[in-house]
Each structure stands twice: as C-alpha cells, then as structure tokens.
Amino acid sequence: MHRSTSFWTFFLPPSLWLALFFLAPLALVFGFSFAEKRGLIDIVITGTLDNYLRALDPLYLRIFVKSFWFAGLTTLICLIMAFPIALIIAFSSAKWKPILLLLVILPFWTNLLIRTYALIAVLRTRGYVNFSAEWLWEKANAGLNLLGLGDYQLLGERFVPFELLYNNTAVVFGLVYVHLPFMVLPLYAALDRMDRSYIEASLDLGAGQLRTFFSVVMPLALPGIISGIIITFIPALGSFLTPDLLGGTDSQMIANVIERQFKSANDWPFGAALSFILMYITFFALAVRALADKGNRGSGSTPA
C-alpha cells in the first residue's frame, strides 16, 4: 500500500502536467488540421483532408524542398565540422576535456535571439567581417602602392562590401552556427565510449591513419553519427527565427509559412496541417533511428 501511494504521488503530477499542457494542445491542433475556416474567426472540425491536400500545391512543395535542402546541408556541414572537434575532445587529457566541453555548450547559456542578432552584427554590410576585409584591402593596396603597382588597380578602385546577409548563404551559416553543438555532443559521447584498442590494433597491423579512421573509428562512432544527424536535422528543418532574421524574401522555410498561417493569414487549419506534416516527418526520422539501433544491436558494433 505504501509503495502504491508513493508511486501515484510521484507519477500523477508530471502526468497531469504533460496531459494538460502538451497532449491536450497537441490534440486540439491535430483536430484543427481536419477543420474548415468559415468567416474570419470560425473554425469547424469537419474531418476534411483539404488542408493536407493543399500542402501538395507546388508553391508549398517548393518551400518544403527548400527547407529539406537547408536542413540537409546544415546537417552535412555540422557533421564535417563536428567530427574533428569531437575527436579532439574525446582524445584530450582529463584536465582539458571538461574545459572543451564547456566551450561547446557555452552558447546554450545565451538566448538564441541574442546570438542571432550578434551574428547580424558580424555579417551586415558594416559588420565585423566586412570591416576586417576592408582593413586588409587597404593594407594590401598600400603595399601595392609601395611596390609601384598601385597604378594598375589590381585590387580595384574601392572596396566593395560582401553581401553576407538576407540570402540563402546567411541562413545556412546561421543554422550551422546554432546547431553545431547538437552534432558535437552525441559524436563526443560515442567516441568517448569507443574501445581504443581497436585503433591501436589497426595501426599495429599496418593500416594507415585514413584507413583506420574510415574502417574503425567511423563504424564505432556510427550510433553517435545517426543520433547527431537526427537531433540536428529535425530542429534545423523546423527553424523559424534564423531564416526570419537572416534570410531574404527567397529564403523562407516551412516554419515561417506556418507562423504566417497562424498570425497574419489567420488560417489555423492549414497551419495546423503543415505543423503535423513536420511532426510526421519527425516521427519517421525517429523510426529510422530506432531501426538503425535495432540493426546495430543485431549485428554488433565491432568493426570488421
């Protein structure tokens, strides 16, 4: 009796919180996805699939494809950048490992909006990147004048600032900047648990550094790679703030379209349908992750 009372005491409060503030709103939005908008504010749940069929319009399909492209490119760049960082942390000494991990998670201590505005200050026309490039241009131009080559205008008459903001490149750059730690941490966790005797055996048997990396390290780090890809790709696909602040009119992602449906367009049923399409994609990615885990457990993680 005492154990049962203790169980329900600790189980009920979080369960009620989850049901009231997560499951109930989610069910409401799910119902809206099968509703019709009548008038300015009336929404009637009729069971229609028109909202999902409307998402197949070429206009929205292009935005979906663009969102997938941005998220996929972001994930690939994060994977390429995060792997050496995770290797350095995993193979660093016990003294430096917590310091390096702290540097990775340090951006989480600052609000995303503040970090994005800081990135704008770096990339804008009179930002730090263009300011530094202009300073280098002036120094190089002065050096050419000293060599007597200034009359040939090898560097042009004046410095032209780089257009680094309000385009697709800025969006991808911002997404990588935001989501890189999400890739580093699972990779580090997988590499830190790795049995390093396999690496020593591979090198002792004559395999080179590259072959050891691709034949031993990569297979052992595969669970971390899959986890990193999923927890980077899914948030990047649903990103709203980064493309809204850094992108131009041609850089909007599906989350920006959803936001407009709930606010300016006041079309909640269509916005709910788009939201649940993203959720279905998330469920699919998690199912793929579960199948990959099952396959790894079935075949074993020991490299050949």
Side-chain angles (χ1 to χ4, degrees):
M1 182 63 181
H2 177 70
R3 291 182 178 178
S4 177
T5 303
S6 300
F7 171 78
W8 288 110
T9 300
F10 288 100
F11 176 77
L12 279 179
S15 299
L16 290 174
W17 181 276
L18 183 66
L20 289 174
F21 298 104
F22 178 73
L23 296 180
L26 195 64
L28 184 63
V29 175
F30 181 72
F32 281 164
S33 69
F34 300 98
E36 294 181 9
K37 179 186 174 185
R38 296 178 181 176
L40 293 177
I41 60 174
D42 290 337
I43 297 175
V44 180
I45 298 177
T46 61
T48 180
L49 295 175
D50 289 345
N51 298 308
Y52 289 96
L53 294 176
R54 183 180 168 191
L56 300 178
D57 186 278
L59 172 65
Y60 299 109
L61 286 179
R62 283 195 296 270
I63 297 176
F64 266 110
V65 170
K66 183 183 297 182
S67 301
F68 272 96
W69 167 247
F70 283 168
L73 184 60
T74 298
T75 304
L76 177 62
I77 295 174
C78 284
L79 179 61
I80 294 173
M81 295 178 62
F83 217 108
I85 297 173
L87 277 173
I88 291 172
I89 298 175
F91 285 88
S92 62
S93 64
K95 174 184 176 181
W96 285 100
K97 188 175 295 186
I99 298 176
L100 295 175
L101 282 174
L102 177 64
L103 292 177
V104 171
I105 65 175
L106 197 59
F108 293 124
W109 295 6
T110 306
N111 185 272
L112 176 59
L113 182 62
I114 297 175
R115 284 186 283 152
T116 305
Y117 275 113
L119 196 60
I120 292 175
V122 173
L123 298 178
R124 63 189 178 187
T125 303
R126 296 301 300 170
Y128 296 111
V129 172
N130 278 312
F131 179 80
S132 301
E134 184 177 9
W135 182 83
L136 291 174
W137 181 88
E138 290 176 352
K139 294 298 181 183
N141 202 33
L144 291 176
N145 287 330
L146 289 176
L147 294 174
L149 300 176
D151 294 336
Y152 295 98
Q153 299 294 336
L154 298 179
L155 297 180
E157 295 183 1
R158 63 184 182 86
F159 174 76
V160 179
F162 300 110
E163 296 293 334
L164 302 177
L165 269 182
Y166 312 122
N167 51 47
N168 294 343
T169 303
V171 173
V172 175
F173 186 87
L175 291 174
V176 171
Y177 167 71
V178 170
H179 295 94
L180 184 60
F182 292 102
M183 183 68 77
V184 173
L185 295 177
L187 282 176
Y188 160 74
L191 293 171
D192 194 50
R193 295 194 304 265
M194 181 174 56
D195 188 349
R196 300 180 186 182
S197 62
Y198 291 123
I199 300 177
E200 296 173 0
S202 175
L203 294 174
D204 289 342
L205 291 173
Q209 298 284 348
L210 284 178
R211 185 173 181 182
T212 299
F213 176 77
F214 287 107
S215 300
V216 178
V217 177
M218 289 283 285
L220 290 174
L222 188 59
I225 293 174
I226 296 174
S227 296
I229 288 174
I230 290 176
I231 67 175
T232 302
F233 179 82
I234 292 175
L237 182 63
S239 292
F240 160 75
L241 186 64
T242 301
D244 190 55
L245 294 180
L246 300 181
T249 56
D250 194 41
S251 305
Q252 299 298 289
M253 297 177 65
I254 193 62
N256 303 104
V257 177
I258 294 173
E259 184 266 347
R260 285 199 298 269
Q261 301 307 314
F262 280 100
K263 294 180 67 176
S264 57
N266 197 29
D267 192 351
W268 287 34
F270 184 51
L274 291 176
S275 301
F276 265 85
I277 289 174
L278 278 183
M279 188 168 293
Y280 301 147
I281 294 170
T282 301
F283 288 155
F284 176 77
L286 294 177
V288 171
R289 174 71 174 93
L291 290 175
D293 273 348
K294 184 177 180 181
N296 288 335
R297 286 196 296 267
S299 61
S301 59
T302 303

